[in-house]
Amino acid sequence: MSQKLNQLKKILGEIADLNHAESVLGWDQQVNLPPKGGEARGQQLATLGRITHEKSTSHEVGILLDELKNEYAGSDSDDAALIRVAARNYDKATRVPAEFVAEQSIVTTAAFETWVQAKGKSDFSIFRPHLEKVVDLVKKYVSFFPPADHPYDVLLDNYEPGMKTAEVQEIFGSLRTKQVELIKQISSAKQVKGDFLHKKYNAKKVWDLSEIIIGRFGYDFSRGRQDKAAHPFETTFSINDVRITNRFEPDNPLATLFSSMHEAGHAMYEQGINPAYERTPLEGGVSSAIHESQSRMWENLVGRSLPFCELFFPEIKKIFPSQMDSVNARSFYKAINKVEPSFIRVNADEATYNLHVMLRLELEIGMLTNKVVIKDLPDIWNAKMRDYLGITPPDDTHGVLQDVHWSSGLFGYFPTYALGNLVSAQLWEKINEDIKDLDAQIRRGKFDSLLGWLHEKIHIHGHKYDPQDLIQKVTGSRIDSAAYIRYLTKKFSDIYGL
Amino acid sequence: MSQKLNQLKKILGEIADLNHAESVLGWDQQVNLPPKGGEARGQQLATLGRITHEKSTSHEVGILLDELKNEYAGSDSDDAALIRVAARNYDKATRVPAEFVAEQSIVTTAAFETWVQAKGKSDFSIFRPHLEKVVDLVKKYVSFFPPADHPYDVLLDNYEPGMKTAEVQEIFGSLRTKQVELIKQISSAKQVKGDFLHKKYNAKKVWDLSEIIIGRFGYDFSRGRQDKAAHPFETTFSINDVRITNRFEPDNPLATLFSSMHEAGHAMYEQGINPAYERTPLEGGVSSAIHESQSRMWENLVGRSLPFCELFFPEIKKIFPSQMDSVNARSFYKAINKVEPSFIRVNADEATYNLHVMLRLELEIGMLTNKVVIKDLPDIWNAKMRDYLGITPPDDTHGVLQDVHWSSGLFGYFPTYALGNLVSAQLWEKINEDIKDLDAQIRRGKFDSLLGWLHEKIHIHGHKYDPQDLIQKVTGSRIDSAAYIRYLTKKFSDIYGL
């Protein structure tokens, strides 16, 4: 290995260590922080962030990358991929001035705090001036990059490298019509019953069951752990330390099980990355959509499938006999897949979820291109909710103020949630070609062939291939909606007798 | 404030943030780490340590300190103290070459792993070559500093700034004779009964009780937390985030209570530092002995006192009625103060503890000055145990291999444990002069005057005064053993009817 590459890897290794240290501090903030510990933690994270940014944008790294890019051009080795990804990261980091990053941090900190208040009072007008500032900064961010086909491309690329806005719009276009149509059919069919899901459940028993399930899926507890936090999330400190968090909501007690499966899906991806990529830019999942394809697959295509219910329902019924009185595997299956247009994205079922995402994408593009005036946002939001889901939010808390993303300057992220759903179905079709008896295996509690397939085809590669190239390589086509539509139609035709 | 001082504080603030980030990663390693997460964590800590060291020894800091030292010479302001302490830290850090630090890290990592094995097999010969290397490095470390009155001064100064070996030897000299004499008297007196302390206790009930006790002492749970770990320790991320750990040992179930009091003693010190010192070298407790004076005071002078037993025993008896059958406050008091020469320092009672420490100090000085040949260490250890405590360790595990310190290169630390005991008694006499009815207050569960006194006299000052100056200021004399001897004699004369 060349001396320059060695030197580059040494610096990138330090940057990776710093990023992981920040992740540890962030995890601890969500999981363990004493009530008054927040201010100091903010300062510690700011200092680590500044040092990481300095190292990531150093002149030395720039020179090494310039020289190595030429040396490794045209190669498809791991080292060439590493240099390509490192160069892309470096280009992005150096385009954005440090003062901008500092300003953005101040603006979004205030915007986040105001959003919390505004959401509490259900009053968008409190949040509006802050959102206007955030959007101005988002536009300014885009201006640091060369003109793209669409200004939104610059934002999208941060979460889904190489993906274009036009392509997402095309995919979503056909998907929307078909999902809206499906929801209409479902709403005029006989509704399924799920009251027993909202009875009183013992929190510890649900929590323990969630760990039993994901342990059987293949989440490796010797390289991770599940802790309580306000929101479920997955975080990675190394392939040998991939943690998830979860919560128990008395109103929706079994949601804990599906959150565990979801986060374990993310975590098994991270636990499966090639160990040779540790402490390099090739570590970690390659994009938000591919990541979400893994979490949604374990949560929905496995966890909300009939074979899984046939396997696990007897166990669930043993733990919760009174709650499950006169419920069987099939009625449990129907209940956990109940479709119902609702206001809150994170609680949406599989048939309606993507529509929530499309709405947000349209608004983000509108704000970025000045076609949506921010003061009109609540009205536009509500009109689109009527269009897509046939319901009108009663207030801003259940409408435009529900998500944290915009207050944090997170623009460009939402579409990846829906793209992840699409990818999960594309992979699922391919998996079922390769593993003919997958349903039977799930019914027997055998998940190792499935996890092995994902490991070999997706996980191990880390960041080596760009997401579209990876999906093309594995499924033979780029990201598209056909498989997901087939999946939804089949599943809900069965459940609702369409 | 001068621009230079501003700039210095900015850099020192970043160094403090990095140190605290390392502490978070270290705490997480002890408390939460998944079984396979260790290697990556080691790398992350090494990177943070390297970056902290680079920042701490930068040329810029050296120049700022040189200029500011002159500007603030003779002042007794907080800023002058900050500059003085920062300059001392800088001098120490820059004398030690980075390659030495790296070598030391490699040698002690291997020595630690070998020590674990050697202790498991109770075979000093396995550890011996590693200890020889460690001691060579300790000697080399000393050589980086200007010749001192005694080479051990250089080591001691890292934990007890300004303290001299000769002074410690003088203090310990008179203390040893009197403690050995006291133990002889006790051993020929009627022994106290404590079998009930080793019955079966419910771990959760003991744990919860420990948190009730330290909460009443004044440990602020809104700025801290207690978690399970293999060993009890205290760690500080900010004055608003001071955490302690503890364990439950079925063989010695109530030790959990006293460990909580001990660690909470450390933690209340850290929670009480002047907030203006946050993120500066004045933050944190000033020395290991002063720190230990706080932990030992709450553990022993409060927690093992008769007034405390009179207050808390009824509560303890309510929780553990069968274990405490036919026990009363006074017999409980006697049992938790039982004196018995024993092999293991960390389990030693108040009357014997310091002798364990003196033995170690003598051996450390012997190794450093080549008067003790390392292969003879087990024999010398055992001979001294016979001399001081009248018992002979059955094997190396219960003798020379019991402590982790030497494997980690921690030389110079042991004496501070005993000095802390002495200081706790010196402060206690002064406190009882100032708070006439302290015993009565404790009997009523009132700890705020005591904590307030410690806060005002000790805690708030952080690193502003050197430890001996602080003790002089507060008690009118330097560290000495008279108060501790008076304390031990009075307490054990009562318990053993001497």
Side-chain angles (χ1 to χ4, degrees), chain B residues 59-339:
Chain B
H59 198 53
E60 185 185 5
V61 170
I63 291 170
L64 285 168
L65 281 170
D66 270 348
E67 292 173 350
L68 287 163
K69 262 192 297 192
N70 294 329
E71 203 178 310
Y72 284 80
S75 156
D76 62 356
S77 68
D78 284 359
D79 283 339
L82 182 152
I83 291 161
R84 182 173 48 78
V85 175
R88 185 166 66 203
N89 295 347
Y90 182 81
D91 177 66
K92 286 195 181 188
T94 49
R95 283 183 182 278
V96 184
E99 312 84 68
F100 175 84
V101 175
E103 191 190 351
Q104 197 180 36
S105 160
I106 293 163
V107 168
T108 54
T109 301
F112 172 76
E113 283 168 11
T114 316
W115 168 75
V116 172
Q117 283 173 35
K119 191 178 171 184
K121 295 182 181 163
S122 199
D123 183 353
F124 178 75
S125 71
I126 302 172
F127 181 49
R128 188 186 119 191
H130 290 270
L131 181 57
E132 284 167 350
K133 279 189 206 161
V134 169
V135 171
D136 283 345
L137 285 175
V138 170
K139 290 176 189 163
K140 197 165 169 187
Y141 177 88
V142 170
S143 75
F144 297 135
F145 289 81
D149 299 339
H150 192 295
Y152 194 79
D153 286 355
V154 174
L155 305 172
L156 188 58
D157 195 76
N158 288 336
Y159 309 102
E160 212 50 40
M163 178 61 90
K164 299 290 176 198
T165 309
E167 193 170 12
V168 174
Q169 287 174 318
E170 199 192 311
I171 295 168
F172 283 7
S174 67
L175 183 63
R176 181 168 49 237
T177 326
K178 286 166 188 156
Q179 279 201 245
V180 169
E181 177 51 35
L182 180 67
I183 295 163
K184 276 194 190 137
Q185 287 181 36
I186 291 172
S187 68
S188 44
K190 183 169 182 283
Q191 293 308 294
V192 305
K193 281 182 198 143
D195 296 352
F196 64 92
L197 293 176
H198 303 283
K199 288 185 176 170
K200 203 166 154 27
Y201 287 75
N202 176 284
K204 185 173 183 316
K205 285 183 183 173
V206 173
W207 189 271
D208 291 347
L209 179 60
S210 79
E211 299 202 337
I212 288 170
I213 292 172
I214 62 176
R216 293 220 204 137
F217 280 176
Y219 173 66
D220 182 352
F221 277 96
S222 78
R223 301 189 286 139
R225 48 185 289 139
Q226 176 174 259
D227 291 274
K228 293 190 176 58
H231 301 280
F233 65 91
E234 177 275 320
T235 184
T236 304
F237 310 149
S238 118
I239 61 163
N240 292 316
D241 194 351
V242 182
R243 305 187 189 179
I244 62 174
T245 67
N246 205 342
R247 62 181 167 191
F248 179 81
E249 300 166 292
D251 295 351
N252 197 8
L254 297 195
T256 301
L257 303 181
F258 295 97
S259 293
S260 266
M261 299 182 212
H262 182 101
E263 300 309 332
H266 285 302
M268 289 186 285
Y269 186 3
E270 296 279 325
Q271 288 184 334
I273 308 284
N274 189 343
Y277 299 167
E278 277 266 85
R279 304 178 73 243
T280 80
L282 298 184
E283 72 183 357
V286 68
S287 77
S288 303
I290 307 300
H291 237 302
E292 196 73 4
S293 78
Q294 301 303 296
S295 56
R296 298 290 274 181
M297 184 183 291
W298 289 99
E299 177 193 358
N300 289 332
L301 286 86
V302 177
R304 285 193 170 89
S305 73
L306 186 57
F308 179 80
C309 292
E310 287 165 349
L311 164 70
F312 250 100
F313 182 74
E315 208 152 323
I316 297 176
K317 187 156 182 165
K318 210 178 289 168
I319 303 172
F320 303 108
S322 69
Q323 292 90 336
M324 297 299 171
D325 188 37
S326 77
V327 181
N328 61 31
R330 184 156 171 91
S331 55
F332 182 77
Y333 167 66
K334 288 170 79 168
I336 61 171
N337 283 295
K338 190 176 164 63
V339 173

Side-chain angles (χ1 to χ4, degrees), chain A residues 190-322:
Chain A
K190 183 167 182 285
Q191 293 308 295
V192 305
K193 284 186 196 139
D195 296 351
F196 63 92
L197 294 176
H198 303 282
K199 289 185 175 169
K200 203 167 151 32
Y201 287 75
N202 176 284
K204 186 175 183 316
K205 284 183 183 172
V206 173
W207 190 271
D208 291 347
L209 179 60
S210 80
E211 298 202 336
I212 289 169
I213 293 172
I214 61 177
R216 292 220 205 136
F217 280 176
Y219 173 66
D220 182 353
F221 277 96
S222 78
R223 301 190 286 137
R225 49 185 287 138
Q226 178 175 259
D227 290 275
K228 292 188 176 58
H231 301 280
F233 65 91
E234 176 275 319
T235 184
T236 304
F237 310 148
S238 119
I239 60 164
N240 292 317
D241 193 352
V242 182
R243 304 187 189 180
I244 63 174
T245 67
N246 204 343
R247 62 181 167 193
F248 179 80
E249 300 166 293
D251 295 350
N252 197 7
L254 296 194
T256 302
L257 302 181
F258 296 97
S259 292
S260 266
M261 299 181 211
H262 183 100
E263 300 308 331
H266 285 302
M268 290 186 286
Y269 187 1
E270 296 281 324
Q271 288 184 334
I273 308 283
N274 188 343
Y277 297 167
E278 276 266 85
R279 303 176 74 243
T280 81
L282 298 184
E283 71 182 356
V286 68
S287 78
S288 303
I290 307 301
H291 237 301
E292 196 72 5
S293 77
Q294 301 304 295
S295 56
R296 297 292 274 182
M297 184 183 292
W298 288 99
E299 176 193 357
N300 290 332
L301 287 85
V302 177
R304 286 193 168 88
S305 73
L306 187 56
F308 179 80
C309 292
E310 287 165 348
L311 165 70
F312 250 98
F313 182 76
E315 208 152 324
I316 296 174
K317 188 156 182 166
K318 211 179 286 167
I319 303 172
F320 303 108
S322 69

